[in-house]
Amino acid sequence: MTGLVRSELRKALTTKMAWGMPLAQFVLAAVFAAITGGFLLFVDIPGADGTPIPARELFEDGVLARMTYTGGLQVGYLLALVLGILAMGSEYRHKTLTATFLAEPRRGRVVAAKVVGLSVVVVLNGLAHLAGAVVGGGIMLLLADVPLFPDAGDLAGVMLRLLLVLVLWGLMGLGLGVLLPNQVVALFVGVAFAFLIEPLLSFGITFVDALADAARFFPSQASTAALSVFEGVDPATAQNMGFNPDQLDWWAAALTLLVYAAVMTAVGWVLTRRRDVA
Amino acid sequence: MTDAPREGTGISARGLTKTFGPLRAVDNLTFEVRPGRVTGFLGPNGAGKTTTLRMLLGLIRPTSGEALIGGRRYADIDRPMQVVGSALEATGFHPGRSGRDHLRVLAATHGIPDSRVDELLELVGIPAAARKRAGAYSMGMRQRLGLAAGLLGDPQVLLLDEPANGLDPEGIRWMRGFLRHLAQDEGRTVVVSSHLLSEVEQTVDDVVIIANGHLVREGTMDELHGDPAVLVRTRDASALADALVRSGLAVQPEGPAALRVQTGDLARVGDVALAAGQPVYELRALRTDLERLFLDLTEAPEHSNRNRLPEEIDR
């Protein structure tokens, strides 16, 4: 089994994705953290009563830092999803699956090795993401004279949970990559779903009372909730900023994502075991 | 570097059948590959060769029947790369990964060291190119890399799917010599598929010929050649025929002034002619036209391709 995991890691580390993806994570996290920080620290937003006030007066420093550093969450999990799709999709696309299954015909073990290998790779990419977020967001915090790490313990917890969220999105991508063996289609569907359809849908149904509860369990909202981004924020303000104020506890949100990841991985496992490789 | 069994690893297909929807790509195929010999697995494009090889290797699940290598299904073989090596298609490389890294990825699954990878790259003759992206490889380099991948675990059995495809004449000659080396010098069991009998006739000991998913001929190359015969041309054919029959040889007329003699012994025919006082104008061994035979076998009406979709069957 360690041999299989090492094989998967070698796959991940011997193409351009090995440095291209962490670079993208670093740069995009830096940009989004800087934009989020800039918005929070230097722009007026509608307060609870609707009158515009500087955002930083609404939040404690700890909340400001937390929101700034997690500004790239969406793009981060999107890239993790892409990594997951590629882990399987590229084997179909380049027909390397044949060699993979000849080396280990017990396909369940191959999927297990991919789960472990992908998790390691996503964590490495996640560290690049966090480094980018601290650089990009940190510049804004410095410019606004807010301490870089106002509550170090809280921030460390948030960052660890961000890594967990990325890994779970990666596993969702792994399953999707098996479900749709055409890699281009899988990437298109995955990105369209995660970036457009799901957030719009989940934002849309927050305005429908009967369904508002369900939106909390959508992957994007569960991801935000898993990081406790809005902990200590006035619910009305959160809603004004476009977020569902009624979020899951972080552990419930993480568990929700875990269920999605487990279901998608199981789908991938079943299909991988049954399919002919031609 | 392996303690996998070195002796007696043969292959047997028993009633192997695969249907894709209405199409019977492989139909109740039963054959044996004897250990320590080179077997040509032959048939026209679309005959089901690749599908059969993929069933042998557990990549395609048979609709019915079973395929055993050394008595076991491929999926039941522990550390399979040390028992069976295969080169199935030349396209199975990530274009952005170097050939050497492709091999290292596979080597990792069996704990095979990088030194073995480099040794094989040297053996197949692409040590320098192997550090470049596989996307830039020529067909010949892909074939060589595929072969190196098959040999990584030093397996006793090798399955090679159209290994000469896309090779230039020099590459084909190299491949022939290499296969002979693997089989004769190293005693491995080698199965090599081809849609051309002439491509492998100098290399193989045995043949398994299929057409339209059916077995049409199985046996040794000698059996395929049939009984040896000699053509002799002379002045008085009937006088020579009498002399040959008297010496115990079977004779048929072959045109006005020539005879077909059922023997492989040219000297004996010449001696009889000399003793009978008949001049010899031509004396040569008659070779079976194998290509003709192959076409007759694979294009016989009963094997006519009732559902021929070559692209889909033999990808």
Side-chain angles (χ1 to χ4, degrees), chain B residues 35-50:
Chain B
R37 295 172 68 91
V38 184
T39 300
F41 186 50
L42 308 169
N45 286 330
K49 297 186 298 292
T50 299

Side-chain angles (χ1 to χ4, degrees), chain A residues 1-17 90-91 93-107 109 183 272-278, chain B residues 18 20 54 57-62 74-81 86 88-89 91-98 101-112 114 133 315:
Chain A
M1 196 66 204
T2 51
L4 285 181
V5 173
R6 189 174 304 125
S7 176
E8 290 301 325
L9 290 176
R10 279 186 181 174
K11 278 176 198 168
L13 298 178
T14 52
T15 69
K16 283 178 189 166
M17 279 293 149
S90 85
E91 297 244 32
R93 180 174 170 79
H94 302 301
K95 298 188 172 177
T96 50
L97 202 55
T98 292
T100 300
F101 286 161
L102 287 177
E104 180 47 270
R106 288 164 293 188
R107 299 184 185 180
R109 293 167 65 104
Q183 181 183 289
T272 300
R273 281 175 55 100
R274 297 170 50 142
R275 239 181 228 155
D276 285 343
V277 183
Chain B
K18 180 68 185 182
F20 295 112
R54 285 183 172 268
L57 293 168
L59 294 166
I60 291 181
R61 184 186 300 214
Y74 188 83
D76 296 332
I77 300 174
D78 199 31
R79 302 175 72 75
M81 282 168 67
S86 48
L88 278 189
E89 54 195 348
T91 50
F93 308 112
H94 190 296
R97 187 177 291 136
S98 76
D101 281 334
H102 175 78
L103 296 186
R104 289 179 65 244
V105 163
L106 298 177
T109 63
H110 282 55
I112 296 167
D114 286 359
R133 307 170 60 242
R315 242 179 327 180

Side-chain angles (χ1 to χ4, degrees), chain B residues 170-275:
Chain B
E170 162 58 26
I172 290 175
R173 203 174 56 174
W174 174 84
M175 181 67 76
R176 277 189 190 144
F178 194 67
L179 292 186
R180 221 171 288 139
H181 166 71
L182 292 172
Q184 289 167 8
D185 304 344
E186 303 189 340
R188 293 177 214 259
T189 305
V190 180
V191 176
V192 46
S193 85
S194 178
H195 61 284
L196 293 172
L197 177 58
S198 56
E199 196 174 76
V200 296
E201 65 170 283
Q202 297 164 32
T203 321
V204 304
D205 308 309
D206 298 335
V207 288
V208 172
I209 302 177
I210 66 170
N212 201 25
H214 296 273
L215 181 74
V216 296
R217 188 80 178 251
E218 180 182 16
T220 66
M221 204 62 195
D222 288 343
E223 287 166 12
L224 205 61
H225 275 292
D227 295 330
V230 165
L231 180 117
V232 58
R233 195 178 299 281
T234 184
R235 188 188 303 138
D236 185 348
S238 62
L240 180 57
D242 288 345
L244 286 166
V245 169
R246 255 179 278 125
S247 78
L249 290 168
V251 176
Q252 292 150 353
E254 182 97 5
L259 299 169
R260 179 191 176 91
V261 191
Q262 297 302 321
T263 177
D265 193 346
L266 291 170
R268 184 172 169 196
V269 175
D271 288 345
V272 171
L274 180 63

